[in-house]
Amino acid sequence: VASVYDVAKLAEVSAATASRVLSGSTYPVREATRQRVLRAAAELDFQPNRLARALVTARTNTLGAIVHDIADPYFAEIARGLEDAARADGYQVFVCSSDRDAERELAYVRSLLAYRVDALVLTGGGIEDRAYRAELERLLGGLRERGGQAVMLAPQRVRGPSVLPDNQGGAALMTRHLLALGHRRIGLVGGPRHIRTSAVRLAGHRAALAEAGVDFDASLLAPGDFTVAGGAHAAAELLARHPDVTALFAANDVMAFGVLGELRERSIAVPADVSVAGFDDVAMAAHVSVPLTTVRVPMYRLGWEGAKLALGYLAGRRPRSRVLATEVVERASTGPPRPR
Amino acid sequence: VASVYDVAKLAEVSAATASRVLSGSTYPVREATRQRVLRAAAELDFQPNRLARALVTARTNTLGAIVHDIADPYFAEIARGLEDAARADGYQVFVCSSDRDAERELAYVRSLLAYRVDALVLTGGGIEDRAYRAELERLLGGLRERGGQAVMLAPQRVRGPSVLPDNQGGAALMTRHLLALGHRRIGLVGGPRHIRTSAVRLAGHRAALAEAGVDFDASLLAPGDFTVAGGAHAAAELLARHPDVTALFAANDVMAFGVLGELRERSIAVPADVSVAGFDDVAMAAHVSVPLTTVRVPMYRLGWEGAKLALGYLAGRRPRSRVLATEVVERASTGPPRPR
DNA sequence: CTGAAAGCGCTAACAA
DNA sequence: TTGTTAGCGCTTTCAG
């Protein structure tokens, strides 16, 4: 753990000079001197302490990303794009999953600000709550004051630069597609009521219906929570209320997966009996066809235990390494070989 | 952006005293004084600068996680567990996707060390390369010297505490399951050759075959890359080489999805004609049945552009907010309503 | 129990 | 072109 001083000493220059060449400053340094510093740094395997640097430059080269759930393929994919772009510019990113909980989200934002992230990326739809919004606005104000930025990747009432998918337009497109196929009774598996994205996608749906002169029946809307289980549950509700629906449109793909599952359980053929539409086109949407027999690895627990292990060590304890059992989960994709 | 000094001044105490109450130190402070400090801190909305604190305590309360790809559901799920556990202990986590590239992985590790993460979590299977291994070992040594830790969540030749799934046992279980169903010609869609996990899962398969007295035919192994496309490609290769396989066992679920896709394209029924097995049980494995008509949101680009936007601002530019188009992707899940 | 002073590792004036 | 000095915001001896 060599410091600039060590490098400076070895290169027989001052710390300032060493810093000038090592920090990538444009400050002029004689080539010979530069080489000596570089050599010394290599020799000592010098790695600048980014914290110290950040303390003086007031720039950390870090980004904070608030996602609703990094395990949701939608956010995972966003996080990957974020990370790659950040890396290309020498930035590291902190990922934070809020589960759409206002308290947790604010706590994360405060923490990220304490770590002096240079920018914040709010990837999920805004939470509709006055107190939350006010506090968030206040925190982001502090960020901006010190030259930082917050950007939104989903509809938020909070102001700031954004990159948004055309949620309303997309929903309208899909609804038009369903209408064109001849559907008139379309059940809507919506997003959570307190998330702004839900309202925006719903608005697109309603607009397309209005345009076609089909009137909107509120009982054809069942709010979900953007999870598979939520989608299945909403589908069940809708089917109970309206056995005559011919199509179900889910506000995100993950819920659509739940819808498909629910339909299969009821032996309702897709699309012969009921059509199903999703939103997002997450990678898996295109690629699966039969429930898979597989080996279950407890991934969540693996991550959890991994952190516990690390933290245990940091706390001075010596927790032991472990092996977690795996097991076969039998589903529809396996059976006896075809007799010949 | 109040500092301890501001709080100290307002509370009419020294910075030392303010720090003692604000940093959660166990150092004795008179209750009345403590209250005054707390009041002042609340008043000024004091948030300690974690960088400054870290500089003196030599503890950042951050974890670095190296995943192969955060967009791969396997790693996303792990990352979530990691994050939740870390948060419970007041830690933030940096997520880094290496795409199983040795150079990138080392670069990330170096960067994370420069940020003085307290611990490193290597979630993916180790890369089989001597130079890589030596350098990694060296870097981790430095981490340990300053009291840090590195933990592994997958087979690695690098030593250190670990939490591992039973890869070999799981593969053996699945192979036994297939053998019990009567399969003898089992094609194996393996993992990348340079990743240790691949070898370990393969070993489990071979062990189960040996146990049953079935001998292993190397031409029944096609290495993939843990992606959907890789799985499809490997399946095609296997089918060409061995049209008589009755089962395909993929080294991870994501490749199994690709295998299923390939089989469907060839109208090979699952499991009637060929059984398919995966590994991991990622959430989607259980829930999808028909390819989904959906609205495509360019998620990757969204994340990418979001970071660009943030970085543009940090660079003093004022890039404009944008709206990315969405479109309908028509797949099998939609069609005309059933005529009555 | 409280305060003064030093210092974590680095960069940025300011001099030379 | 190089060096000296100060200081980022915090915690921590060391005195009192």
Side-chain angles (χ1 to χ4, degrees):
Chain A
V1 251
S3 77
V4 246
Y5 282 91
D6 300 323
V7 175
K9 189 174 300 170
L10 184 59
E12 298 179 295
V13 297
S14 70
T17 301
S19 168
R20 293 201 258 259
V21 1
L22 265 11
S23 66
S25 150
T26 58
Y27 206 92
V29 172
R30 188 151 49 94
E31 190 51 31
T33 314
R34 171 180 303 276
Q35 289 310 324
R36 255 187 306 137
V37 171
L38 255 17
R39 198 129 357 118
E43 172 104 15
L44 297 176
D45 193 30
F46 172 72
Q47 287 291 359
N49 182 324
R50 305 298 308 254
L51 304 173
R53 174 180 290 179
L55 196 55
V56 35
T57 61
R59 271 281 183 268
T60 52
N61 273 246
T62 57
L63 255 44
I66 305 281
V67 300
H68 281 331
D69 178 8
I70 191 60
D72 178 318
Y74 177 77
F75 293 105
E77 189 79 16
I78 287 179
R80 185 52 142 92
L82 211 49
E83 187 201 326
D84 286 357
R87 180 167 51 87
D89 276 40
Y91 275 70
Q92 285 283 357
V93 6
F94 283 112
V95 173
C96 307
S97 300
S98 72
D99 280 338
R100 301 187 174 79
D101 177 77
E103 274 319 312
R104 174 123 38 103
E105 194 148 326
L106 291 174
Y108 260 135
V109 170
R110 285 194 203 96
S111 174
L112 291 172
L113 294 181
Y115 277 103
R116 297 293 186 268
V117 291
D118 291 339
L120 230 35
V121 182
L122 305 183
T123 67
I127 297 171
E128 301 281 25
D129 177 282
R130 265 194 76 56
Y132 159 80
R133 209 145 41 82
E135 175 66 359
L136 182 58
E137 198 81 74
R138 205 178 62 75
L139 292 170
L140 299 189
L143 210 209
R144 287 193 209 96
E145 269 177 32
R146 31 163 269 249
Q149 258 304 325
V151 311
M152 327 293 162
L153 301 189
Q156 288 261 171
R157 284 196 189 279
V158 174
R159 36 197 198 86
S162 64
V163 180
L164 303 173
D166 181 5
N167 288 301
Q168 174 151 358
L173 280 176
M174 178 59 84
T175 299
R176 275 187 220 116
H177 169 70
L178 295 171
L179 288 168
L181 285 171
H183 296 282
R184 289 297 174 273
R185 302 290 289 167
I186 303 172
L188 205 67
V189 175
R193 289 195 195 289
H194 70 299
I195 297 299
R196 188 143 175 69
T197 303
S198 311
V200 177
R201 293 189 177 175
L202 173 59
H205 174 67
R206 296 190 59 162
L209 286 183
E211 190 180 281
V214 175
D215 51 33
F216 177 72
D217 175 353
S219 71
L220 276 167
L221 165 64
D225 61 356
F226 285 148
T227 69
V228 171
H233 187 266
E237 198 178 315
L238 247 18
L239 254 17
R241 238 169 17 217
H242 296 283
D244 61 337
V245 289
T246 61
L248 290 172
F249 179 14
N252 76 339
D253 284 354
V254 174
M255 287 196 297
F257 297 150
V259 171
L260 289 173
E262 185 66 25
L263 294 178
R264 191 158 49 81
E265 265 186 27
R266 296 163 180 245
S267 305
I268 296 176
V270 175
D273 298 332
V274 171
S275 284
V276 175
F279 202 111
D280 288 343
D281 196 28
V282 298
M284 288 305 128
H287 294 294
V288 170
S289 55
V290 181
L292 198 69
T293 298
T294 186
V295 177
R296 166 171 293 146
V297 173
M299 292 165 291
Y300 185 91
R301 231 185 116 212
L302 202 59
W304 180 277
E305 298 284 352
K308 281 292 182 208
L309 189 59
L311 298 174
Y313 266 87
L314 293 174
R317 274 176 278 118
R318 291 292 97 117
R320 309 196 335 119
S321 292
R322 321 178 30 190
V323 171
L324 305 184
T326 49
E327 63 180 318
V328 169
V329 181
E330 205 174 339
R331 298 211 183 83
S333 72
T334 55
R338 182 188 212 165
R340 2 180 172 184
Chain B
V1 252
S3 78
V4 245
Y5 281 91
D6 300 323
V7 174
K9 189 175 302 170
L10 184 59
E12 298 180 295
V13 296
S14 70
T17 301
S19 168
R20 292 200 259 259
V21 0
L22 265 11
S23 68
S25 150
T26 58
Y27 206 93
V29 173
R30 189 153 47 96
E31 191 51 31
T33 315
R34 171 180 303 277
Q35 289 311 325
R36 255 187 305 136
V37 171
L38 256 17
R39 199 130 355 121
E43 172 104 16
L44 298 175
D45 192 32
F46 172 73
Q47 286 292 358
N49 181 325
R50 306 298 307 252
L51 304 172
R53 174 180 290 180
L55 196 55
V56 35
T57 60
R59 271 280 183 269
T60 52
N61 274 245
T62 57
L63 254 44
I66 304 281
V67 300
H68 281 331
D69 178 9
I70 191 61
D72 178 317
Y74 178 77
F75 293 105
E77 189 79 15
I78 287 179
R80 184 54 143 94
L82 211 49
E83 187 202 325
D84 286 357
R87 180 168 50 87
D89 276 40
Y91 275 70
Q92 285 282 357
V93 6
F94 283 112
V95 173
C96 308
S97 300
S98 72
D99 280 336
R100 301 187 173 79
D101 177 77
E103 275 317 313
R104 172 122 40 102
E105 193 148 328
L106 291 175
Y108 260 136
V109 170
R110 285 194 204 94
S111 174
L112 291 171
L113 294 180
Y115 277 103
R116 296 295 185 266
V117 291
D118 291 339
L120 230 35
V121 183
L122 304 183
T123 66
I127 298 171
E128 300 282 25
D129 177 282
R130 266 194 77 54
Y132 159 81
R133 206 140 49 77
E135 175 66 359
L136 181 58
E137 198 81 75
R138 207 178 60 74
L139 291 170
L140 298 188
L143 210 209
R144 286 192 210 97
E145 269 177 31
R146 32 164 266 250
Q149 259 304 325
V151 312
M152 327 292 162
L153 302 189
Q156 288 262 170
R157 283 196 188 280
V158 173
R159 37 198 196 83
S162 64
V163 181
L164 303 174
D166 181 5
N167 289 300
Q168 173 150 358
L173 280 177
M174 178 59 82
T175 299
R176 275 188 220 115
H177 170 70
L178 295 171
L179 288 168
L181 286 171
H183 296 281
R184 287 299 175 273
R185 303 288 290 167
I186 303 173
L188 204 67
V189 175
R193 289 194 194 290
H194 69 297
I195 297 299
R196 189 145 174 67
T197 304
S198 312
V200 176
R201 293 188 177 175
L202 173 59
H205 173 67
R206 298 191 57 163
L209 286 183
E211 192 180 281
V214 175
D215 49 34
F216 176 72
D217 176 352
S219 71
L220 276 167
L221 166 64
D225 61 356
F226 285 147
T227 69
V228 171
H233 187 265
E237 195 178 317
L238 247 17
L239 255 17
R241 225 150 50 200
H242 296 283
D244 61 336
V245 290
T246 62
L248 290 172
F249 179 14
N252 76 338
D253 284 353
V254 174
M255 287 196 297
F257 297 151
V259 171
L260 289 173
E262 185 66 26
L263 294 179
R264 191 156 49 82
E265 266 185 27
R266 296 165 180 246
S267 306
I268 295 175
V270 176
D273 298 332
V274 171
S275 284
V276 175
F279 202 112
D280 287 342
D281 196 27
V282 297
M284 289 305 128
H287 294 294
V288 170
S289 55
V290 180
L292 197 68
T293 297
T294 187
V295 177
R296 166 171 291 146
V297 173
M299 292 165 291
Y300 185 91
R301 227 183 119 215
L302 203 57
W304 180 276
E305 299 284 352
K308 281 291 181 209
L309 188 59
L311 298 173
Y313 266 88
L314 294 173
R317 274 175 279 117
R318 290 293 100 116
R320 308 194 335 118
S321 293
R322 319 177 33 191
V323 171
L324 304 184
T326 50
E327 63 180 317
V328 170
V329 181
E330 204 174 338
R331 297 211 184 83
S333 72
T334 54
R338 182 188 211 161
R340 8 178 164 180

